[in-house]
Amino acid sequence: MPRAPKRPLVSVPRYALTRAEAAAALGMSINHFERKVQPDLKVIFSGQLVLVPAAELERWVQRNARRIVARPIGSPRLRATGERDVTPGGASDTALAMRSTERAAGISDA
């Protein structure tokens, strides 16, 4: 009996990726992905196979993307509602700007 002719393969959209594919898509090792990223994601269990929805990866990227551009001293800082405008040392940007202005004018506390 003759075989039916093969149909050409059509590209099918991927809705879920394996953990290795998800890690590669994010540019990180599978170990780092499993330790740091996977706990934040909803995943699909199918037997022993763990699949990560592509939409979950996109949401994770959007939630964890940050700007790392330095801003000029004294410029206002954009912040989330309720967040205090404080530098790592504990002083606000306004206090730092006042100190630098006082130093420039020759006024100091010490």
Side-chain angles (χ1 to χ4, degrees):
M1 178 181 262
R3 286 183 152 185
K6 290 188 177 184
R7 294 185 299 170
L9 293 177
V10 179
S11 177
V12 178
R14 297 280 306 264
Y15 291 107
L17 306 171
T18 65
R19 288 184 288 186
E21 291 169 333
L26 294 174
M28 60 183 64
S29 71
I30 183 77
N31 190 21
H32 183 81
F33 176 81
E34 289 174 344
R35 284 184 291 118
K36 302 293 184 178
V37 179
Q38 185 176 322
D40 295 338
L41 302 176
K42 293 179 188 174
V43 296
I44 301 164
F45 292 101
S46 180
Q48 289 185 340
L49 181 63
V50 178
L51 296 172
V52 181
E56 274 296 301
L57 284 181
E58 291 171 10
R59 273 192 286 275
W60 184 87
V61 168
Q62 291 301 316
R63 284 191 308 255
N64 290 281
R66 302 283 186 265
R67 290 199 170 128
I68 56 171
V69 178
R71 61 186 171 84
I73 293 177
S75 65
R77 176 176 166 233
L78 298 177
R79 60 188 181 269
T81 306
E83 182 183 340
R84 290 184 27 216
D85 194 37
V86 177
T87 60
S92 69
D93 285 341
T94 307
L96 290 176
M98 288 175 54
R99 286 185 205 147
S100 63
T101 305
E102 290 171 350
R103 273 190 230 116
I107 305 169
S108 70
D109 293 342

